[in-house]
Amino acid sequence: MKKSILLSFAASGLLVFTSCDSRQKLSEEVQGIWAGAPEQLTSTGAARATMVRALEFTPTGDAGEGNVTLTAYITVENTMPANDSIVTPMTITAAGTATITGLYQAKDDDDMLINLDDSSLSVTVDPEGVQLNYDILSGDSGSQLSTLRPAAVILASQQIEHAARNVFFNLSEIEDIKVNNNIMECEIGHHDLTFRRQETTRQ
């Protein structure tokens, strides 16, 4: 009887150790910065929107946990039809960067729980990077572009922040993580994604 109990405790201890070891292995495998491929976004209010994700994992312990920083480089494109103020259709293109931080915890050898701090969300849009393009230029195009630019910047900022919130605030887990050298495949929000490890420059 004693022998059976000892064997049971030994097996339980081995299982716990193996589980911790597999979680820590995953944490170490994902350490670093990863960049994804362009993704199409919907429900942004823009005529067209794309995003490129970047993930940064920094292990902080030996049980598969650490800090995570998620960045989304988002581009939106809007089309304004001709009206009393605009004699020809105009395309507005803007790009912004959204960043959020939080914690991760490896759940097993290929799944990771993500706990993001919503209050850390930061969205920036460069006003000078907002492009307003008429299909047909006229003599008044320059002055009209200057007049419309502030409103275009506000619209793009709202759309980029809305897109970032949709992407980040619904993210609680990264699943089916597979790391092969500098390539990471995973599933985020029921989408299969591929990331490439980025080289970091040491000071």
Side-chain angles (χ1 to χ4, degrees), residues 15-95:
L15 181 63
V16 171
F17 176 79
T18 302
S19 176
C20 289
D21 187 56
S22 64
R23 296 201 305 266
Q24 181 60 18
K25 180 181 178 183
L26 175 61
S27 178
E28 293 172 355
E29 284 181 336
V30 301
Q31 180 175 2
I33 301 174
W34 303 81
E39 305 171 46
Q40 295 292 327
L41 293 176
T42 58
S43 302
T44 62
R48 184 172 181 271
T50 58
M51 170 183 66
V52 175
R53 305 184 198 233
L55 320 176
E56 181 176 4
F57 299 100
T58 306
T60 57
D62 57 5
E65 72 270 12
N67 298 322
V68 61
T69 299
L70 306 183
T71 303
Y73 303 97
I74 300 172
T75 300
V76 294
E77 183 178 297
N78 294 286
T79 302
M80 294 184 65
N83 54 41
D84 293 341
S85 302
I86 307 172
V87 295
T88 63
M90 181 177 64
T91 300
I92 304 170
T93 304

Side-chain angles (χ1 to χ4, degrees), residues 71-145:
T71 303
Y73 303 97
I74 300 172
T75 300
V76 294
E77 183 178 297
N78 294 286
T79 302
M80 294 184 65
N83 54 41
D84 293 341
S85 302
I86 307 172
V87 295
T88 63
M90 181 177 64
T91 300
I92 304 170
T93 304
T97 302
T99 303
I100 194 169
T101 59
L103 304 173
Y104 73 82
Q105 173 67 60
K107 191 165 70 170
D108 48 37
D109 62 350
D110 66 352
D111 295 322
M112 183 180 290
L113 298 175
I114 303 294
N115 183 16
L116 298 175
D117 177 6
D118 293 352
S119 67
S120 70
L121 177 64
S122 172
V123 179
T124 58
V125 177
D126 179 10
E128 297 303 318
V130 177
Q131 299 180 358
L132 291 80
N133 299 308
Y134 278 109
D135 290 348
I136 302 173
L137 292 176
S138 68
D140 296 330
S141 295
S143 61
Q144 288 179 332
L145 291 179

